[in-house]
Amino acid sequence: METDAPVPVQKDTLIIFDTTLRDGEQSPGATLNMDEKLEIARQLSRLGVDVCEAGFPIASPGDFEAVRRIAEEVGPLTEGRKSGQPMTIAGLARAREQDIKRAYEAVKAAPRHRIHTFLATSDIHLKHKLKIDREECIEQVVAAVSYAKTLCDDIEFSPEDAGRSDPEFLTVVLGEAIKAGATTLNIPDTVGYTTPEEFGWLIGYLIKNTPGAEKAIWSTHCHNDLGLATSNTLAGVANGARQVEVTINGIGERAGNTSLEEVVMAIATRPQQFPVTTNIDTTQITRASRMVSAYTGIPIQPNKAIVGANAFAHEAGIHQDGMLKHHSTYEIMRPETVGLAASSLVLGKHSGRHAFKVRLEELGYGDLSQEELNQAFDRFKRIADKKKVVTDADLEAIITDEIYQPPEFWKLQYVHVTCGDHTRSTATISLIDPNGAELEDAAIGTGPVDAVYKAINRIVGEPNTLTEFVVKAVTEGIDSLGEVTIRIQPHNGGASSRTNPQTGAERTRTFSGHGASTDIVVASARAYMSALNKMLAAREEQSAVIGQASR
Ligand code: KIV
Ligand code: ZN
């Protein structure tokens, strides 16, 4: 089969609604702090996302403040955006006045803002969760959308669990929502239950049978419980949806949401198969993916489509042979299309600042500040002293370790361990405290990492449970950098809980940390410091927000 030729026909624009900062952040352990949310929102803007769902403002004062700052600081940006239009900032609200008001207060500073309200419509949810009947459901939807409409024009309504709702009942609810002022109707397959045929059919059926359907934009919101989220979303587009709700790397509750990069690249790679185009600058995908992974602490599986480490790797000899003859033999997308530049330089200990900067620019890190660049370059030099060749993967790890880090309350000064099979593992640690004083302590552990963590705990005194510890090699070879990702759950203090918008459950926050080094014990210490600093930053952020609110 020949590959698709360019199609000159006029196509609809597919609105890309990113919910990484809301549904994505609902994934267990994906807690992000204010600066990280702002940084991700800026990257989503550079990426060309049309609508950014920045959070669920009523969840906590911190969530409200993050959405408000994104609306104020990122909402107006247009630089580098293909559409030339600012990104719409949306806030989620249950179908209740307090939620809707809070969402509006949070998003209103953005030149383009949206209230996204939702109520479940499946009999399962009505009976067991909401304990209301269909009539009451319609009344609540009308009341919520009508109230939202008094505050702003751009209103999205979602019938939660639409995938398991009665389609005929949906046409009634959605028709009433349109009458009350909804401008976007989003159809969630909340539990990832449907198949592509069913979901595509549902979108087509609703557009055909809902009174006033032509006045609204129809949207998909698919979860990936059966691994069908991308297929279901694309089936929705084929049947008339003109907005898709997606997250970077497909992060989200349980098995996640539809991943932005898969949908966007399917449309970009197979234009003849889809009646739409997007405003996405695909060269920003890799950067967005790595940023989200670093900040959430959620690793990307190596074989993940588009953004996995192996997505463009050609291992098998027969494939490599074909690739050398012509890349199109085994490659359907060029790596540079998603922001992975082919390496023209090999960096090592003799490489200078200029070569380093050029390579970072090629990898999509062209906008680091001078200070960040200096910091990363110093680290590169230290690593290049130990490793003959510093690969792109090493550079990514350096950036992740040096730049994508929380504010440093406590700073790791040095780590010293002794360990082995005939000795007790001991660690001596030196830290700089938040006032600049150097503190040292030592501890014994079951292994070197345990000893290091115990020594750090003796100094910092922030009781917590380590819930996850993952170590992986950045590249092949014995001299590889080791990358450690951990998660901790505080016993008190730093763990503000927040409400899950759908289940109503209170969730205790966990904090991730990451570190990289040629020595995995040092990488583990750096990861632990990163998680502790994130926890302390969250506590500080929370008291600042509460202080502000009570003034
Ligand atoms: O999955 C879902 O139903 C949601 C709604 C709040 C849109 O995330
Ligand atoms: Zn969802």
Side-chain angles (χ1 to χ4, degrees):
M1 191 182 74
E2 283 299 310
T3 51
D4 290 355
V7 235
V9 291
Q10 185 64 33
K11 293 189 170 200
D12 289 347
T13 299
L14 181 67
I15 297 167
I16 303 293
F17 176 117
D18 181 278
T19 183
T20 304
L21 295 174
R22 199 279 296 170
D23 222 348
E25 215 233 356
Q26 277 173 227
S27 349
T31 317
L32 296 164
N33 65 35
M34 182 93 72
D35 288 337
E36 291 166 342
K37 287 182 186 176
L38 279 162
E39 192 64 31
I40 291 175
R42 282 191 204 100
Q43 178 60 18
L44 295 175
S45 177
R46 277 191 286 268
L47 180 63
V49 157
D50 300 289
V51 186
C52 161
E53 185 164 57
F56 175 47
I58 205 156
S60 72
D63 286 70
F64 174 86
E65 191 54 16
V67 178
R68 195 194 64 73
R69 285 195 55 193
I70 290 171
E72 196 172 275
E73 295 171 34
V74 188
L77 305 179
T78 52
E79 206 189 297
R81 287 172 60 78
K82 201 163 98 184
S83 66
Q85 303 291 340
M87 185 162 75
T88 299
I89 308 298
L92 185 72
R94 289 166 297 194
R96 308 174 179 176
E97 271 198 28
Q98 330 74 293
D99 276 44
I100 294 171
K101 191 158 186 289
R102 198 84 176 128
Y104 174 67
E105 290 299 325
V107 298
K108 69 180 182 192
R112 292 179 168 217
H113 49 265
R114 172 181 295 187
I115 298 172
H116 175 193
T117 186
F118 73 98
L119 188 70
T121 47
S122 67
D123 290 334
I124 301 176
H125 277 229
L126 293 186
K127 182 168 170 212
H128 300 293
K129 182 175 98 170
L130 300 174
K131 300 185 189 345
I132 56 173
D133 61 24
R134 288 183 174 193
E135 280 308 306
E136 288 167 294
C137 170
I138 297 172
E139 277 163 28
Q140 285 188 22
V141 171
V142 172
V145 175
S146 309
Y147 175 64
K149 200 68 182 180
T150 64
L151 303 173
C152 97
D153 283 338
D154 189 346
I155 307 295
E156 173 168 328
F157 171 70
S158 297
E160 190 192 5
D161 203 18
R164 293 187 301 170
S165 300
D166 169 9
E168 212 178 310
F169 176 56
L170 278 177
T171 63
V172 180
V173 176
L174 295 168
E176 291 300 322
I178 295 171
K179 253 199 269 165
T183 42
T184 298
L185 295 171
N186 175 50
I187 310 303
D189 182 15
T190 304
V191 290
Y193 181 69
T194 61
T195 62
E197 289 73 18
E198 276 175 318
F199 193 72
W201 175 86
L202 180 63
I203 295 290
Y205 172 86
L206 294 176
I207 294 177
K208 191 157 165 246
N209 294 292
T210 302
E214 67 292 345
K215 293 189 212 138
I217 304 266
W218 291 81
S219 167
T220 66
H221 178 110
C222 300
H223 280 266
N224 204 28
D225 299 66
L226 295 173
L228 295 171
T230 299
S231 306
N232 287 351
T233 298
L234 293 173
V237 173
N239 284 280
R242 290 297 176 262
Q243 173 179 287
V244 289
E245 299 202 351
V246 290
T247 61
I248 303 290
N249 301 334
I251 65 166
E253 296 248 46
R254 307 181 309 279
N257 288 60
T258 307
S259 67
L260 177 146
E261 60 279 5
E262 291 177 12
V263 171
V264 166
M265 288 313 292
I267 292 168
T269 309
R270 303 300 310 278
Q272 286 187 332
Q273 300 299 314
F274 302 99
V276 292
T277 56
T278 73
N279 286 321
I280 295 296
D281 174 357
T282 60
T283 63
Q284 292 291 333
I285 285 178
T286 299
R287 174 142 191 227
S289 162
R290 294 194 175 144
M291 186 185 282
V292 168
S293 174
Y295 284 159
T296 57
I298 300 176
I300 306 165
Q301 74 194 56
N303 60 330
K304 166 84 179 63
I306 319 295
V307 291
N310 295 344
F312 291 91
H314 298 276
E315 189 85 26
I318 187 168
H319 288 203
Q320 286 181 349
D321 180 56
M323 285 291 291
L324 289 174
K325 286 177 179 141
H326 198 274
H327 65 80
S328 66
T329 49
Y330 286 101
E331 199 174 67
I332 59 164
M333 298 165 269
R334 296 299 290 154
E336 47 273 33
T337 321
V338 298
L340 277 170
S343 183
S344 50
L345 296 160
V346 176
L347 297 183
K349 71 175 181 182
H350 300 297
S351 306
R353 195 178 290 269
H354 181 67
F356 178 72
K357 185 166 180 262
V358 168
R359 190 66 201 130
L360 285 187
E361 278 166 5
E362 285 173 350
L363 289 170
Y365 300 106
D367 60 350
L368 294 185
S369 68
Q370 194 55 45
E371 196 190 329
E372 288 172 335
L373 198 66
N374 291 344
Q375 198 181 327
F377 184 67
D378 285 349
R379 189 70 191 287
F380 158 73
K381 277 293 186 190
R382 275 183 273 134
I383 287 170
D385 269 343
K386 295 188 180 148
K387 276 187 102 222
K388 249 217 303 282
V389 170
V390 180
T391 64
D392 289 349
D394 293 324
L395 292 179
E396 297 281 0
I398 292 172
I399 296 296
T400 304
D401 190 52
E402 288 291 333
I403 313 297
Y404 295 155
Q405 289 288 10
E408 270 192 319
F409 288 84
W410 288 85
K411 194 173 162 48
L412 182 65
Q413 184 77 345
Y414 70 77
V415 188
H416 176 84
V417 289
T418 46
C419 61
D421 58 356
H422 280 78
T423 182
R424 301 184 87 179
S425 296
T426 53
T428 309
I429 291 285
S430 163
L431 303 180
I432 307 287
D433 81 2
N435 301 315
E438 185 173 346
L439 301 174
E440 200 184 43
D441 213 324
I444 296 172
T446 51
V449 174
D450 186 44
V452 165
Y453 283 20
K454 282 190 173 132
I456 293 175
N457 285 346
R458 287 172 65 90
I459 304 175
V460 177
E462 290 288 347
N464 67 77
T465 303
L466 181 69
T467 57
E468 202 176 311
F469 179 90
V470 179
V471 55
K472 76 176 190 1
V474 171
T475 51
E476 287 164 8
I478 198 72
D479 65 348
S480 169
L481 279 182
E483 206 166 32
V484 174
T485 305
I486 67 161
R487 252 175 242 290
I488 59 172
Q489 197 161 58
H491 292 177
N492 51 45
S496 65
S497 64
R498 57 226 289 251
T499 316
N500 178 310
Q502 288 157 274
T503 59
E506 289 288 303
R507 175 158 75 84
T508 303
R509 299 170 78 175
T510 59
F511 298 89
S512 66
H514 52 83
S517 169
T518 45
D519 181 322
I520 56 166
V521 177
V522 176
S524 305
R526 291 178 71 86
Y528 191 41
M529 294 312 298
S530 154
L532 284 172
N533 280 325
K534 201 162 175 176
M535 183 175 107
L536 296 172
R539 186 185 297 164
E540 183 116 315
E541 205 173 278
Q542 193 187 16
S543 41
V545 170
I546 290 171
Q548 245 171 32
S550 59
R551 250 181 264 135

